[in-house]
Amino acid sequence: QKYFDGSILMEPIDPVLTLAQGGWELFWPARRGFYYRVERSVDLGQWLEIMPGSMADDSRFRLSGPAGSEGRGFFRITRTEAP
């Protein structure tokens, strides 16, 4: 039912962020066939797309990157039906 009425897009995405040597790794559960876009911000005001709309072909996404020189970062993940 939630696939047909679109309510599946409102389900929360529960990401896990880990700090690795000199960088970070972001993991989150994914629904096959949906697209996910990731943005990063250092101030919650300006957002930079770091992963364009990519289709999930598995049940989990993984994204990693270098640590920023600003010492902090915020991530925003969006799930859509199209890229």
Side-chain angles (χ1 to χ4, degrees):
Q1 174 69 23
K2 55 187 166 183
Y3 283 93
F4 297 109
D5 66 13
S7 62
I8 194 164
L9 295 172
M10 302 308 292
E11 287 186 352
I13 300 170
D14 297 319
V16 174
L17 177 67
T18 59
L19 300 178
Q21 280 186 302
W24 50 267
E25 290 184 321
L26 186 63
F27 299 91
W28 67 94
R31 297 242 183 216
R32 184 175 299 217
F34 285 95
Y35 292 82
Y36 292 83
R37 184 178 83 198
V38 181
E39 297 170 292
R40 185 175 186 204
S41 175
V42 294
D43 60 8
L44 296 174
Q46 294 184 316
W47 292 90
L48 174 66
E49 185 176 74
I50 59 172
M51 185 182 95
S54 300
M55 188 190 316
D57 59 2
D58 201 351
S59 61
R60 187 174 183 180
F61 254 110
R62 176 188 171 275
L63 184 65
S64 61
S69 60
E70 57 280 336
R72 68 173 181 230
F74 302 94
F75 295 89
R76 178 165 66 185
I77 303 170
T78 307
R79 175 177 42 226
T80 61
E81 296 176 86

